[in-house]
């Protein structure tokens, strides 16, 4: 037998954050499913904590619900976070028979200047192939949670150096993407891109390549 005695509903007066030294306050607030002024829901408070964990910006996320002094139907929700590094820097050295010595480097930051935006840049250089790429993603392009990202790249390939044919291929391109989460963990992404390719003839370019360029 259960005896249930209804009492007053508790409302959230304020949501406070502590420990986010680098990350901006609005980056954390956009992950909240519990709203200020709304009825306090333990499920939404805990789910908001899970959302902060999923960002990958923090080593630890704690939440505490504190009654507001002088009231019997208001609480404050306090989130405490401990930040961790969100960027990476890498370099690589390799060798292949077709491309020779390959040097590469990349840098990425998942919380660019504390805004929650993702930025990355990479370069690869070998005897015959040179490439670079840059990407940027804003996970909260709109207040409804629509993300927007773009990436650009440039690549030059010297097929003469690889003993394939006497020509250079220059490629430049970009891509634009939009995403929306259909539930709490599943994003749906759409994108479109364009690539421009230009062939440059060499000194001893074959007639077949010259005809192709002419067309």
């Amino acid at each position: 037998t259960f005896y249930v005695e209804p009492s007053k509903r508790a409302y959230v007066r304020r949501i406070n954050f502590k420990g986010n030294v680098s990350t901006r306050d609005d980056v954390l607030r956009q992950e909240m499913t519990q709203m200020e002024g709304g009825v306090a829901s333990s499920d939404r408070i805990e789910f908001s904590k899970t959302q902060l964990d999923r960002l990958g910006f923090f080593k630890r996320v704690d939440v505490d619900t504190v009654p507001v002094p002088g009231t019997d139907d208001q609480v404050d929700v306090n989130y405490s976070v401990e930040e961790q590094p969100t960027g990476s820097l890498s370099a690589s050295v390799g060798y292949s028979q077709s491309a020779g010595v390959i040097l590469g480097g990349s840098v990425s930051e998942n919380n660019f200047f504390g805004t929650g935006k993702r930025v990355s840049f990479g370069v690869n250089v070998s005897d015959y192939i040179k490439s670079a790429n840059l990407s940027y993603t804003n996970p909260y392009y709109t207040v409804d949670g629509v993300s927007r990202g773009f990436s650009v790249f440039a690549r030059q390939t010297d097929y003469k150096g690889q003993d394939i044919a006497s020509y250079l291929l220059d490629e430049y391109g970009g891509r634009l993407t939009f995403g929306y989460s259909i539930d709490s963990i599943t994003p749906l992404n759409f994108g479109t891109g364009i690539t421009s390719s230009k062939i440059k003839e060499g000194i001893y370019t074959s007639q077949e390549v010259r005809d192709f360029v002419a067309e």
Side-chain angles (χ1 to χ4, degrees), residues 34-210:
Q34 173 65 62
M35 298 290 112
E36 291 182 337
V39 176
S41 166
S42 58
D43 287 342
R44 290 184 177 181
I45 292 172
E46 284 299 318
F47 184 72
S48 298
K49 175 181 179 295
T50 302
Q51 291 290 87
L52 293 178
D53 274 322
R54 286 176 179 160
L55 287 175
F57 303 162
F58 312 111
K59 290 182 181 179
R60 176 184 55 81
V61 179
D62 295 321
V63 61
D64 188 26
T65 303
V66 181
V68 176
T71 68
D72 58 358
D73 63 349
Q74 290 186 347
V75 296
D76 286 341
V77 180
N78 301 321
Y79 289 92
S80 177
V81 300
E82 181 182 351
E83 293 183 322
Q84 65 181 358
T86 56
S88 64
L89 177 66
S90 65
S92 61
V93 179
Y95 177 82
S96 74
Q97 290 181 331
S98 61
V101 177
I102 304 171
L103 302 176
S106 66
V107 58
S108 65
E109 174 56 62
N110 292 328
N111 188 16
F112 191 63
F113 289 121
T115 62
K117 299 177 176 64
R118 299 188 291 271
V119 179
S120 66
F121 175 73
V123 176
N124 282 282
V125 178
S126 69
D127 292 343
Y128 314 123
I129 302 175
K130 299 176 178 64
S131 65
N133 61 82
L134 172 68
S135 66
Y136 165 89
T137 302
N138 182 356
Y140 277 92
Y141 176 62
T142 72
V143 295
D144 297 320
V146 175
S147 66
R148 183 185 69 170
F150 70 82
S151 61
V152 293
F153 78 92
R155 180 169 55 245
Q156 183 185 72
T157 306
D158 184 357
Y159 288 96
K160 179 183 177 182
Q162 300 183 58
D163 293 327
I164 297 175
S166 181
Y167 70 91
L168 292 172
L169 176 62
D170 291 342
E171 295 175 287
Y172 305 92
R175 183 172 178 82
L176 179 66
T177 59
F178 290 92
Y180 184 76
S181 293
I182 56 178
D183 57 33
S184 60
I185 58 175
T186 307
L188 189 62
N189 297 308
F190 300 90
T192 183
I194 185 171
T195 300
S196 173
S197 302
K198 183 177 181 180
I199 296 176
K200 297 180 180 179
E201 299 178 15
I203 299 176
Y204 303 108
T205 303
S206 66
Q207 188 60 45
E208 183 180 5
V209 174
R210 293 181 187 274

